[in-house]
Amino acid sequence: MLHKPELDNSENTNWAERSDFWQAITAALPQKRKRRERNSKPLILCGHGVSLRIENGTLAIRDGFTHYPQSQPKYRYFRGDLETPSRILLLDGSGTLSFDVLSWLAEQGVALARVKWTGEVATVASGSGFAADREKVQWQHDTRADETIRLAFAADVIRQKIIASIDTLEGQFEPSRARKIAIDKARIGIERLSLDTFNDINAVFAIEGECASAYFTAWNGMPLNWAGAQRRPVPVIWLTYAGRSSLAASVKAENRSASHPVNALLNYAYAVKLAQMQIQAIADGYDTKTL
């Protein structure tokens, strides 16, 4: 008699949250469209046991399992159906598909892209060999070609990042001189990025660097409470936060090769966020190779 394996609840919860995240990307995309307009929202499949096959001329899809317990979503698309997604993303996981599926997708103009967990596109299968939205990719090329527009776009991205840093400082840190300096510096940077005209991307990065330096200076001295430190002691330097740069780096201060656990966590979190943003960009129809 077969029994269901005992699975760690925390692991199930983590997988469930990841699955909800990718489903949320699809749900957040624009829903309304014109009556005869093709569905531009991508279908994102992930997990183990993904299946794509042709049944009586229709595309039958079964999504994968990412955690337990979980229902396995199923989709069916007909030839010429406007509900058929223009892109299908296979996000890691495992499964099967047939040659007939590739022919069906090519006939219906549906791009199939295999995406690694890092956000890199492993392979693309489509009639045109192209999985992105051509209008969005054209916007990317136009933005890169126009130096003024490109710098304005970069300045706005950095501006939004600095705005978010103020929320972190005000919400997570007690009032202090360092926090006040960081917030004041951030507000000055936001104003400059909103009003100034830039001729060089390094000028934008300089503002970001000044704000980042003040931001992490406000973290200095933050106490860290270690569970079980009596049984498993940690280095004294790990009892407080002392800076973003790594002591394991060369003479020049760098954030790589973290020598402090907080910096290691930050490096990991930033890498995961980058992968998420790359995958979302692919889902939205952008070409990440031109980012």
Side-chain angles (χ1 to χ4, degrees):
M1 181 175 179
L2 296 176
H3 298 275
K4 292 180 180 178
E6 294 294 330
L7 299 177
D8 180 65
N9 288 332
S10 63
E11 184 176 350
N12 282 337
T13 301
N14 290 337
W15 276 108
E17 290 176 351
R18 295 175 193 176
S19 179
D20 290 342
F21 173 81
W22 302 124
Q23 292 175 8
I25 288 180
T26 303
L29 296 174
Q31 302 291 321
K32 293 183 179 180
R33 67 178 194 271
K34 297 179 182 179
R35 184 177 180 182
R36 293 183 175 81
E37 184 180 3
R38 174 75 174 273
N39 178 20
S40 61
K41 186 173 67 173
L43 175 63
I44 300 178
L45 306 173
C46 61
H48 299 287
V50 175
S51 172
L52 292 87
R53 59 181 180 175
I54 302 301
E55 294 180 353
N56 299 320
T58 67
L59 175 64
I61 299 176
R62 185 178 62 196
D63 205 350
F65 286 107
T66 59
H67 58 284
Y68 177 85
Q70 176 195 13
S71 60
Q72 196 170 25
K74 297 180 180 179
Y75 310 89
R76 186 179 297 275
Y77 300 105
F78 296 82
R79 284 190 169 92
D81 188 356
L82 293 179
E83 292 301 319
T84 303
S86 58
R87 297 184 303 284
I88 297 177
L89 304 185
L90 300 176
L91 182 60
D92 255 355
S94 64
T96 60
L97 59 83
S98 66
F99 290 144
D100 289 341
V101 168
L102 297 178
S103 298
W104 194 98
L105 295 175
E107 291 170 2
Q108 300 303 307
V110 179
L112 179 69
R114 169 73 166 173
V115 183
K116 300 179 183 178
W117 69 269
T118 58
E120 299 174 278
V121 176
T123 185
V124 173
S126 71
S128 63
F130 195 73
D133 184 310
R134 294 188 180 278
E135 291 185 0
K136 292 181 178 179
V137 174
Q138 185 61 53
W139 173 85
Q140 288 180 263
H141 285 294
D142 292 344
T143 301
R144 289 177 64 90
D146 190 313
E147 186 72 4
T148 301
I149 296 177
R150 186 172 72 91
L151 291 173
F153 176 79
D156 185 61
V157 170
I158 301 301
R159 182 184 63 83
Q160 294 181 52
K161 176 182 176 181
I162 297 174
I163 290 174
S165 74
I166 293 180
D167 293 338
T168 301
L169 290 169
E170 292 180 337
Q172 302 299 325
F173 292 88
E174 295 294 330
S176 67
R177 182 173 180 275
R179 192 189 80 158
K180 182 180 184 305
I181 292 175
I183 293 175
D184 290 344
K185 178 75 72 172
R187 286 173 176 161
I188 293 173
I190 292 169
E191 184 177 8
R192 290 177 60 190
L193 290 168
S194 301
L195 302 177
D196 291 0
T197 300
F198 300 95
N199 298 317
D200 185 356
I201 191 64
N202 289 326
V204 177
F205 289 155
I207 296 176
E208 179 189 25
E210 292 174 4
C211 294
S213 177
Y215 173 76
F216 283 110
T217 297
W219 287 44
N220 288 351
M222 177 180 64
L224 303 175
N225 298 320
W226 292 85
Q230 294 295 329
R231 290 180 291 105
R232 296 181 179 179
V234 299
V236 175
I237 195 174
W238 287 9
L239 298 179
T240 57
Y241 185 72
R244 186 70 180 97
S245 61
S246 172
L247 298 178
S250 58
V251 177
K252 182 180 179 181
E254 293 183 351
N255 299 334
R256 298 181 180 181
S257 303
S259 58
H260 193 283
V262 172
N263 287 330
L265 288 171
L266 287 171
N267 289 350
Y268 175 78
Y270 291 147
V272 171
K273 187 61 179 178
L274 175 60
Q276 290 178 344
M277 292 177 68
Q278 287 180 312
I279 292 172
Q280 183 161 1
I282 295 170
D284 288 344
Y286 294 99
D287 181 4
T288 56
K289 293 183 179 179
T290 65
L291 292 178

